[in-house]
Amino acid sequence: MRRLLVVGIFFLVCMPLIAQAKEFPLRNDSLAHTEQGRQLLKYMVKCALAEADSVFVNVDGVKHVFPGKLGWVPDWVDRSMTDVEKRKLSACMAAHTNFFKKTVQISLRSDDPVAPEGFRTTAAEREKFPFFEGGFFGNYFVEHPVSYVCLGDLTPERNQHLEHLYRVCTVENSNARGFSHCRFKIVGKCSDKPFTQGGIDYSREVLWVYLPAASTDRGSE
């Protein structure tokens, strides 16, 4: 998905959707004309809208529906996004990025006290997903998109565990020092709170990803 985030992100230009019941038509359908673009839309809508809502678009007589889930930027259906909302949606999309194009089970969390239900956890979820991968933040809705990651649990077997789970967006690329395999800039340990980057404080929008402890546990998001 990483390749999709930069390629085509500006086609939407943060345009609002037109409200119509709980299924909203996509105003700008540029991305919807390719399979890769539709994959990007899938994650944008999944992150932005609540589970009861969805977005649809008709392409060459075929209706494509993109369901919401997390409700992180629900007002996108009514208006253009604010700068904060752009960063929130970017963080969510980055957290879902997979270098191997695999579907991997993750626990996505936020420190925001008013975060939607999809970002809150139960005791059972915390037990199932105890491994702290890291924090994701950035902004894809600017002229030069940026993606950052901070590192969570730094156990000796960390990289091997993440590679086995197909989660390497917080693993440094040996051919690009300081950047992960997903080309996200690694900014240090999350415990050091390195959330101000390029003069912008992303601390309100950063999202945390937790993973299963056993590297054999895989599933679908």
Side-chain angles (χ1 to χ4, degrees):
M1 180 182 144
R2 168 60 184 170
R3 297 177 181 87
L4 301 178
L5 297 179
V6 176
V7 179
I9 192 70
F10 294 107
F11 284 102
L12 289 183
V13 198
C14 312
M15 292 294 288
L17 306 172
I18 303 173
Q20 180 179 337
K22 289 293 182 178
E23 189 173 79
F24 305 96
L26 187 66
R27 177 175 293 179
N28 187 326
D29 65 357
S30 300
L31 287 177
H33 288 271
T34 66
E35 181 59 35
Q36 287 191 330
R38 290 192 290 271
Q39 186 74 358
L40 177 57
L41 284 169
K42 169 187 170 182
Y43 284 98
M44 292 182 73
V45 177
K46 175 182 179 179
C47 287
L49 303 190
E51 194 167 8
D53 298 335
S54 63
V55 169
F56 76 90
V57 61
N58 290 297
V59 178
D60 297 327
V62 178
K63 182 178 181 180
H64 299 274
V65 179
F66 307 96
K69 182 176 181 180
L70 297 171
W72 196 219
V73 190
D75 291 336
W76 183 36
V77 299
D78 299 317
R79 54 167 174 73
S80 298
M81 289 184 288
T82 65
D83 289 342
V84 169
E85 288 171 335
K86 293 173 187 176
R87 296 195 293 267
K88 289 173 69 173
L89 183 55
S90 299
C92 186
M93 293 165 66
H96 283 89
T97 300
N98 190 283
F99 179 78
F100 300 104
K101 298 183 180 180
K102 297 282 188 178
T103 299
V104 179
Q105 193 173 36
I106 65 175
S107 174
L108 192 59
R109 309 175 190 179
S110 169
D111 287 340
D112 189 337
V114 295
E117 187 67 29
F119 295 93
R120 302 174 189 173
T121 61
T122 62
E125 181 176 343
R126 290 190 293 273
E127 182 177 359
K128 183 178 179 181
F129 298 90
F131 186 87
F132 179 26
E133 179 188 18
F136 295 76
F137 53 103
N139 193 344
Y140 294 130
F141 300 92
V142 291
E143 183 177 359
H144 301 290
V146 290
S147 301
Y148 304 103
V149 290
C150 61
L151 308 182
D153 293 340
L154 297 177
T155 59
E157 65 279 4
R158 178 182 189 275
N159 287 1
Q160 182 180 2
H161 177 51
L162 291 174
E163 289 167 1
H164 198 72
L165 287 174
Y166 302 121
R167 288 287 300 186
V168 296
C169 287
T170 62
V171 176
E172 187 175 49
N173 185 341
S174 59
N175 296 319
R177 305 299 294 182
F179 290 84
S180 74
H181 289 278
C182 301
R183 299 183 183 179
F184 296 166
K185 184 177 181 180
I186 299 173
V187 294
K189 298 183 294 183
C190 297
S191 58
D192 291 335
K193 303 184 184 302
F195 306 130
T196 297
Q197 299 291 329
I200 298 174
D201 182 1
Y202 294 89
S203 59
R204 293 175 55 191
E205 301 88 40
V206 61
L207 291 178
W208 317 109
V209 170
Y210 285 74
L211 301 169
S215 58
T216 55
D217 286 350
R218 297 190 185 128
S220 58
E221 291 178 352

